Amino acid sequence: MTSDQGAPGQESDPALSGLTLTMPDVAELAQVKRAVVSMWRRRYANGALPFPAPVDAEAKQPRFRAVEVAAWVERRGQGNNPDFRADAAVVAALTDDGDPTRAFDALTALLALAPYTSAPLATIDPDDLVDLADEVDPHDRFAYRETVGLGPHLRDAARHAGAVASAAYNPASAIERLLGARHRTGDPRLTGTVLRAPVLNLVADVLAALAPDDEDLVVTDPRPGCGDLLAAVLGRTERVEPVLAHVPAGGDHVLRLARRRLAANSWPVEASSGDVDAHLVTQVPALDEPDLDPVDVLSRVEDAVLGLPIGRAAVVVGPASALVDELRDPGAEKIRDDLMRSGRLRSVVLLPAGLVVSRPRQKMAIWVLGTVLPSASFGKKHLVVADLSEHAPDGDEFDGSVVGDLLTDLIAAQGTDRDADAHHFRFAKFLDSGAVVARRQSLLGAAKATRDLVFRDPAGTEHYLHELMAHLTDPVRPSELPVVRGLSGGEPGGRYTIEGLVGHGFVHRRPGHRLCVEDVVQGVLEGTVPVIGTAEVLGAAAWGGRRIDRLGFLARYSSGRLTEPGDIVYVTAPRPAAVVDVEGFCVVETPARIFRVPGRARGRVVPEVLAADINAAGVETRDPEGWTVRLVPLDQGPALSEALTVLREEEHALRARLETLTDLRGGLLDGVASGVVGLSTENVSVPREDERGR
């Protein structure tokens, strides 16, 4: 590839040469809705830079030259994907080929060979490519069969693989892009339970933290699928010596793909035919069996860790319904109880929803089994449970402080009793395995019920309680409320019906959106915005508990609009109710609707007053047109809005203070009752926040 190929707007690109895209392909690559692409075709049908013409204008499903579409998107700056060209090279290859799986295997095989030659793939003679495959893969474990199987198509395939690698900058990036488009193959063995990047990275961090720095790190996955977990561990763990991965031996299609992926990244990989002396990472269920019940999930976990060597750790990712929640199947309950009684299960981490690509509502969990510290006591029958379900990741990562504190908790839990006693746990809660088995409840519920075992660290507990006390001594922020003065001759702002306000342009009405159930997720996830419906307006559900992907909403709902700060969200049934959206950027779900106060009316119509009047309306007045609301005198609107803002901030501060009091009360009860801390009858001066560190 020449130096200018692949540059923005370049219309001679070997990676896209001869390949075509459908309109759904273009929409997916540009990360927009299909209707947006149709609009592009109509709006930019003429002019200096028209949308590319289809290859066959009469075809029922028009196709467009990929190179022309990529150039048009880059020149126009359309869509939401800055890597449109590189992704198009992958998608078009899988879309154009009559057998996407065959194209997928061929490209990944050649990309796996690319790091082992200095010559561009396109310049290598087909016979030499076969020799290279034989040299790199003499036992035909990942690439030789696929390379030879291309036969007379080998030269063209090599040319395209090289171009795709150049478009994606290198073979490793190219194979990762191919895996990102694996759903196009239609092969369920590749797509069933694919995990998102945050949980893959967290598993890699957990294993790296548990494995001693002075050992050569060896890791295995008995059912690696496409190698997602192994790739995360090998790509994320920094060691002087490279991490060695063991992939089970065999000619299974998916196992070969996992080996190709590791080879494309130049990571050392070996085929194993039995138990190996290695740390273990695995996902249950695996990609090819997504619908296991809790009994099968726990049986897979038990089988995976049965031969775990002494001094090695196992990190398992699976559904919280089997690993954490209360079990109703006696068979599943027995397997989990046995694992807890054995002392092998050391740590449990509950994760937020949204980490499984195909199941955004499912919550996952991580189990850490075994021990990696030589001084660890295998006779211990306690474990720790950490709840991260409210800590949604930011992009591909969880918050760094969350990960750091979680890792120190897990390391302490893996060690001796002395290690645990010396550590102040942030997330993890200790519980006795025998007590949990006897209660027959969820592990998270058992951890909450065993609060006295949380306080194992006297110094840490004392510090924690002092911090709470110091926080309570902080003065409340001085309120800068306006001065209230009497107005003996003042005039009220008047009363209007909603119909009158709308007619005068003082209020605009906006409808709510009819949302698909599968688009709404639970928990705070990166890239999502709150969904506000009837339950949120009535106060029956927490504001922000339900959310929807922002870009997906704007792409899939053609009339989709987010709220603006100051919008009044209201409902008419089961009773009139309204709430002010102070921050905006929410999605209102029908039957909830919006009253919006335009800028010119803000001096007379104060959103909080309008919401208060709606809430005061009787249950018999469900017709919004007849609601009577108050206007504020023209010169008082800004001052009232400012005062209400100050009061709202004070309410938030008081709620935070109340939470601190609740935590302090519980901490004193548990700490003193457990004999970890004691109270003095002498008055002790606790430094205020502004005095600390002097």
Side-chain angles (χ1 to χ4, degrees), residues 668-681:
L668 288 173
L669 284 172
D670 294 333
V672 175
S674 301
V676 176
V677 296
L679 299 178
S680 172
T681 57

Side-chain angles (χ1 to χ4, degrees), residues 205-241:
D205 290 341
V206 169
L207 184 67
L210 295 176
D213 293 330
D214 58 354
E215 74 169 25
D216 293 337
L217 184 55
V218 183
V219 62
T220 185
D221 186 345
R223 305 197 67 174
C226 297
D228 294 338
L229 281 172
L230 289 176
V233 171
L234 271 64
R236 197 171 177 86
T237 305
E238 297 182 359
R239 295 278 176 136
V240 175
E241 294 295 328

Side-chain angles (χ1 to χ4, degrees), residues 109-229:
L110 292 170
L111 290 170
L113 298 177
Y116 300 94
T117 176
S118 58
L121 290 175
T123 65
I124 302 178
D125 183 81
D127 290 338
D128 293 335
L129 267 177
V130 173
D131 291 340
L132 176 64
D134 185 36
E135 178 184 345
V136 173
D137 184 23
H139 301 293
D140 188 23
R141 288 173 175 164
F142 62 91
Y144 180 79
R145 182 184 311 169
E146 291 79 6
T147 303
V148 174
L150 285 167
H153 304 290
L154 180 54
R155 186 184 297 276
D156 290 339
R159 183 181 299 113
H160 185 70
V164 170
S166 296
Y169 305 112
N170 56 58
S173 297
I175 207 166
E176 294 304 319
R177 289 185 185 276
L178 278 165
L179 285 162
R182 69 183 84 172
H183 63 281
R184 292 184 167 276
T185 65
D187 190 339
R189 297 173 297 175
L190 308 182
T191 58
T193 55
V194 175
L195 297 173
R196 297 191 182 276
V199 66
L200 298 173
N201 293 335
L202 181 60
V203 169
D205 290 341
V206 169
L207 184 67
L210 295 176
D213 293 330
D214 58 354
E215 74 169 25
D216 293 337
L217 184 55
V218 183
V219 62
T220 185
D221 186 345
R223 305 197 67 174
C226 297
D228 294 338
L229 281 172

Side-chain angles (χ1 to χ4, degrees), residues 139-140 205 215 225 236 283 307 358 361 368 403 437 444 469 482 506 513 515 546 549 616 635 637-638 654:
H139 301 293
D140 188 23
D205 290 341
E215 74 169 25
R236 197 171 177 86
Q283 178 187 354
S358 61
R361 295 188 178 188
V368 179
V403 174
V437 172
L444 189 61
M469 290 179 178
F506 283 2
H513 298 89
L515 305 177
R546 298 187 304 140
D549 181 78
D635 63 335
L654 286 173

Side-chain angles (χ1 to χ4, degrees), residues 338-422:
D338 288 344
L339 285 168
M340 286 192 291
R341 285 193 184 98
S342 71
R344 281 284 198 178
L345 179 58
R346 309 304 299 280
S347 304
V348 179
V349 182
L350 178 63
L351 301 174
L355 296 176
V356 181
V357 173
S358 61
R359 302 179 180 185
R361 295 188 178 188
Q362 184 179 46
K363 284 188 177 182
M364 301 294 282
I366 293 175
W367 271 14
V368 179
L369 303 101
T371 179
V372 295
L373 300 179
S375 58
S377 170
F378 283 93
K380 290 194 300 183
K381 299 298 182 184
H382 61 241
L383 56 88
V384 297
V385 177
D387 184 4
L388 296 189
S389 60
E390 300 301 322
H391 295 271
D394 181 12
D396 290 346
E397 305 284 349
F398 285 92
D399 180 81
S401 65
V402 170
V403 174
D405 290 342
L406 174 67
L407 295 181
T408 56
D409 284 359
L410 298 183
I411 292 171
Q414 288 287 112
T416 63
D417 287 326
R418 179 176 296 179
D419 295 329
D421 291 339

Side-chain angles (χ1 to χ4, degrees), residues 465-476:
L465 296 175
H466 277 189
E467 284 292 310
L468 291 176
M469 290 179 178
H471 181 67
L472 286 176
T473 64
D474 291 342
V476 178

